[in-house]
Amino acid sequence: MTDIPFDDRFAAAAPAAPRAETPRLGTGAVRAYYDATSPGIMRLAFLGGLFSILTLGIYRFWYITDLRRQLWRRSALGGSNFEYTGTAKEIFIGFLIMLAILAPLYLLSFLAQLDVGGVFGTIANLVFIFGLFFFIGFAMFRARRYRLTRTLWRGVRFGQTGSAAAYALRAMGWGFLTMLTATLAFPFYRASQERYRVNNTWYGDRKFECRASGLAMLLPWILFIAAAVLPLVFAVVHVLSIAPIDTLAGYIQTTAGADGMPKLTLGPNAPAALTAAIGVAIGAAVWLFVAPILLWPVYRAREIRSFMGRTSLGGTTFRSDFSALSIYGSYLLFMLVAALTFAGLAAVTAGVLAAVGGFDDMSPAGIVAFAGVYLVAVWLIGTLKTRLVTAALWGKVVTSVVVDGIEHLSGIGARRDQASGVGDDFASSYDFGAI
C-alpha cells in the first residue's frame, strides 16, 4: 500500500512510515511496529478534549476520529502502515441511532419509578435491565464491525460478519452461567465470545480462525479468584478459632458514636488476639474489593497471549509477548502525573480564591468558579489519560504482536461486499470501547 499522508488538523506533522524493515524474529516472523516518537498525540488530546468540553461533548466524535487516524497510521506490519477511513459524521449518525434505541428503554425505566413495588414497576425494571445488558453486547459487536470495515492494510479492507444480536444473547447467557457457577465459567465465556468475534473476522477474502480455549485460562482464573478471596477466608477462620460464633457475640457491644448512630465495638473482656484478628479480617475484606483491580492486568495479559497464540489467518499465525508490566507501568505513570497535575491545579485555585477573598460555596460566583475548576480538571486528566494510557497501551499491545508466515498474506484479494455507510459505532457513542 502506498503511504498516504492523512489529514490531522492538530499534529505538527503526520507520523512518518517506518523507514526500515520491521524487526524480524526468524524466518517469516515479523514483529508489528508502532511509531511512538512522532509528535501529535498530546496536542490532539489537549485540543480535542478542550473542544469536546466547549461543545458539550459534540466535538468528541471528531476527536475520536482524529485519534484513531493517528493510532492506526502509527501502527505498521511488514513495513506497511494501517489506515483508518472512518468519519466523524458516521459516528455521529451512530450516536443518533443509539439515542433512538435507548430512548424507549429509559422511558420505561422512568415509568417504572412511578410504580415502585408494583407489578408494572417490577416488570418494567427487569425489561430495562435486560434490555440495557443486551444493548451493551449488541453495541460492542457493531462497534467492532465498524472499526474493522474502516481499517485497511496494504490497500485491503478488514471486515466482520456474524450477528450482533446473537453475540449479545450469547453474552447474556454466559453471564447468567457465570453467576450460577460462582464465576468458574468466566474463562469459557471469554473464550467463546473471542471465538465468535474472530471467526467472523475477515481480511479481504480470507477468514480468520480462532481456537481460544477457556480450559487453558481456567487455572489462571482460579488463581486470580483465590488471591482475592482466600485471605478473607483464612482471616475469618482465624477469628472463629479464637472466638467461636456462639461466644463471639458476647464480646461485641453496641455503643453510640459521635454522630449519635450506634456502632459495634469489642468489649473490654475481649481477648487481645481477637482484636488483632478482626483487624486483619477487615483488611482482608478491603483486599477482596481492591484485589480484582490490582490483579486484573496479570490475568488480562495472560489472556491476550493465550488468545493471540490460537489465532490464524490461513497459513499466517500470530503470537504475543504482552506483559502485565506494560499495564502497570502506564497506569502508575498516569496516576503520578495526574496527582501532580491535580495538586498544582488545587494550589492555583486556592491562591486565586485567597487573592479575591474567597467565594461563598452557594453563591452564583462560587458555583461557577468550582464548576470551572472541575471542568479544567476533567479536561487535563482526560488529556493525560489519552496520552499516557490509551496511546501508550495501544503501542505496547501492537509491538507485542509477532506474525509468522506474513508472506501468505500477499495473495489476498478484496471482498466484493462494501463497508456499510451506516454509522453503527454505537459503543463509541455510548462511551465504552471508544477506541
Side-chain angles (χ1 to χ4, degrees), residues 277-295:
I278 290 179
V280 172
I282 293 174
V286 173
W287 170 252
L288 179 64
F289 292 96
V290 174
I293 299 174
L294 294 180
L295 300 180

Side-chain angles (χ1 to χ4, degrees), residues 98-116 120-129 131-132 430:
M98 179 207 70
L99 290 181
I101 294 174
L102 288 181
L105 279 178
Y106 281 106
L107 176 61
L108 190 63
S109 176
F110 171 76
L111 294 177
Q113 306 312 310
L114 304 179
D115 188 35
V116 177
F120 173 78
T122 302
I123 295 176
N125 273 323
L126 288 175
V127 172
F128 170 74
I129 293 172
L132 189 60
Y430 202 61

Side-chain angles (χ1 to χ4, degrees), residues 63-142:
Y63 173 30
I64 289 174
T65 300
D66 286 335
L67 180 59
R68 287 177 178 172
R69 287 176 180 168
Q70 278 271 10
L71 296 178
W72 266 246
R73 185 69 171 78
R74 292 167 181 263
S75 306
L77 180 64
S80 298
N81 298 79
F82 290 86
E83 181 184 353
Y84 178 74
T85 62
T87 66
K89 179 181 177 181
E90 290 173 340
I91 302 179
F92 184 69
I93 293 174
F95 170 71
L96 297 179
I97 296 175
M98 179 207 70
L99 290 181
I101 294 174
L102 288 181
L105 279 178
Y106 281 106
L107 176 61
L108 190 63
S109 176
F110 171 76
L111 294 177
Q113 306 312 310
L114 304 179
D115 188 35
V116 177
V119 175
F120 173 78
T122 302
I123 295 176
N125 273 323
L126 288 175
V127 172
F128 170 74
I129 293 172
F130 283 105
L132 189 60
F133 274 107
F134 175 85
F135 174 77
I136 291 174
F138 181 88
M140 293 181 71
F141 191 83
R142 295 281 292 195

Side-chain angles (χ1 to χ4, degrees), residues 141-390:
F141 191 83
R142 295 281 292 195
R144 185 175 187 274
R145 174 187 179 278
Y146 175 83
R147 292 191 297 269
L148 283 171
T149 57
R150 270 67 179 176
T151 299
L152 287 82
W153 181 68
R154 291 182 175 176
V156 178
R157 188 182 302 274
F158 288 81
Q160 179 174 287
T161 53
S163 167
Y167 182 83
L169 291 174
R170 288 164 58 95
M172 294 176 67
W174 273 112
F176 183 66
L177 185 59
T178 298
M179 290 188 293
L180 287 181
T181 59
T183 77
L184 288 179
F186 182 78
F188 300 92
Y189 163 33
R190 299 275 294 184
S192 176
Q193 293 297 82
E194 178 74 2
R195 289 195 301 271
Y196 189 83
R197 286 191 299 266
V198 177
N199 287 334
N200 282 291
T201 300
W202 296 74
Y203 173 58
D205 57 3
R206 190 171 299 176
K207 198 174 184 181
F208 282 82
E209 181 183 357
C210 179
R211 302 172 301 281
S213 170
L215 187 61
M217 291 303 300
L218 182 58
L219 180 57
W221 178 251
I222 291 175
L223 294 176
F224 173 80
I225 295 299
V229 174
L230 286 184
L232 180 59
V233 173
F234 291 147
V236 171
V237 170
H238 182 51
V239 168
L240 295 179
S241 68
I242 298 173
I245 193 67
D246 55 339
T247 62
L248 183 62
Y251 295 126
I252 298 176
Q253 62 182 18
T254 304
T255 59
D259 55 359
M261 299 295 293
K263 65 177 184 177
L264 299 178
T265 60
L266 288 176
N269 60 331
L274 179 61
T275 303
I278 290 179
V280 172
I282 293 174
V286 173
W287 170 252
L288 179 64
F289 292 96
V290 174
I293 299 174
L294 294 180
L295 300 180
W296 175 252
V298 177
Y299 179 83
R300 180 63 179 131
R302 176 69 179 84
E303 186 183 68
I304 288 175
R305 296 195 300 270
S306 176
F307 290 175
M308 184 74 69
R310 290 170 167 81
T311 300
S312 60
L313 180 61
T316 304
T317 59
F318 305 86
R319 47 194 166 100
S320 171
D321 53 15
F322 185 70
S323 169
L325 292 177
S326 298
I327 303 178
Y328 287 127
S330 295
Y331 272 97
L332 285 175
L333 179 60
F334 163 68
M335 288 188 291
L336 175 62
V337 177
L340 293 175
T341 301
F342 187 80
L345 183 61
V348 171
T349 303
V352 172
L353 291 180
V356 300
F359 285 122
D360 178 2
D361 290 352
M362 298 308 296
S363 68
I367 293 174
V368 170
F370 284 106
V373 171
Y374 172 77
L375 290 177
V376 170
V378 170
W379 166 39
L380 294 180
I381 299 302
T383 298
L384 292 172
K385 188 173 186 296
T386 298
R387 176 62 184 87
L388 300 178
V389 177
T390 303

